[in-house]
Amino acid sequence: MLLTSDAKGVFPIAPTPFLDDGAIDTASIDRMMDFYVGCGSTGVTVLGQLGEASKLEHAESLDVASRVIARAGKLPVVVGVSAPGFAAMRALTRDVMDRGAAGVMIAPPNTLRTDDQIVGYYRQAVEAIGADVPFVLQDYPLTFSVQMTPGVIRRIVQELPSCVMLKHEDWPGLEKISTLRGFEADGSMRHISILCGNNGLFLDYEMERGADGANTGYAFPDMLCDVVRLSQEGQREAAHDLFDAHLPLLRYEQQPGAGLAVRKYVLKRRGILASAAQRKPSAPLTEKARLEVEHLLARLARFDARAGRLVP
């Protein structure tokens, strides 16, 4: 069940659940995966940036990925394997692929500046992990400080057949999607899947520009599934209405530094996680911020009943 360039829908970015003492919460992993499967997800990504992957030891990363894969059923699982060096990337890639992962996601190191450096890095990454492993190209300049133009993405896609998906997180990035789809239309680039991250802040119009879906960790992935489905069905206004209702919480959850705390808090309130704990170093939710999140949930519940079905 390897990842292909035809992937569509919603691949939620899974947080790593922890107990209050910092231990990995396996029961919450199972509950979270059952929720993802049940709400219409078409795949899942684990050990992404907001999965606190850098706080895990190799054995823990492998345990988390293995449990997600085992619980995912028929859903393809993409595992984030970004690392400072290729040895660690290769080791985790081999281990998770042996356990049934569909592919891996690779983010660029923040030292890359030129197009040749970017292409060269991904060429070496493929040499390290193997050309038979499908990979997702993560384009998130706001976090990684690496600017990937449509032209350099085309070079990577054309040179490296194992690149099957772009995780598009540029902002502003709507024109980039249009340009890439234009490359496909004129035959200068083969087709790849484009799933969008950045907490889905522009998902409504990204779908209209040619994106295939979402690959992000918003605490209401079921809403993302609905927006993608409505967009694919041509129900434009219904998709925008639902998206607009969630936009204030989306925006709040996407705050740098505080976003993961908000996301885990909401997932706990939804009964998916047993604890909102993060591993240290962490930025816990303040009481003032918690009350603001509760206010946002109450307002959202006026339009979407899912925001009102919460646990204490």
Side-chain angles (χ1 to χ4, degrees), residues 130-141:
D132 59 331
V133 177
F135 80 91
V136 178
L137 173 64
Q138 187 172 9
D139 178 21
Y140 197 6

Side-chain angles (χ1 to χ4, degrees), residues 15 18 36 51 65 84 106 136 157 165 170 176 209-210 217 233 289 303:
F18 296 109
Y36 288 155
I106 304 174
V136 178
V157 170
M165 180 187 292
D170 205 348
K176 180 178 283 188
R209 292 294 189 110
E233 292 173 353
F303 185 89

Side-chain angles (χ1 to χ4, degrees), residues 17 19 25-33 272-275:
L19 299 172
D25 181 0
T26 55
S28 286
I29 291 177
D30 292 347
R31 192 162 49 247
M32 176 178 65
M33 289 307 303
I272 298 167
L273 300 184
S275 170

Side-chain angles (χ1 to χ4, degrees), residues 12-18 25-39 41 44-47 51 64 67-68 71-72 75 217 221 263-264 267 271-274:
I13 299 288
T16 301
F18 296 109
D25 181 0
T26 55
S28 286
I29 291 177
D30 292 347
R31 192 162 49 247
M32 176 178 65
M33 289 307 303
D34 291 347
F35 174 74
Y36 288 155
V37 172
C39 77
S41 303
V44 65
T45 298
V46 65
L47 302 182
V64 170
R67 195 168 190 99
V68 167
R71 198 77 177 189
L75 294 188
R263 179 174 301 168
K264 283 194 160 184
L267 289 172
I272 298 167
L273 300 184

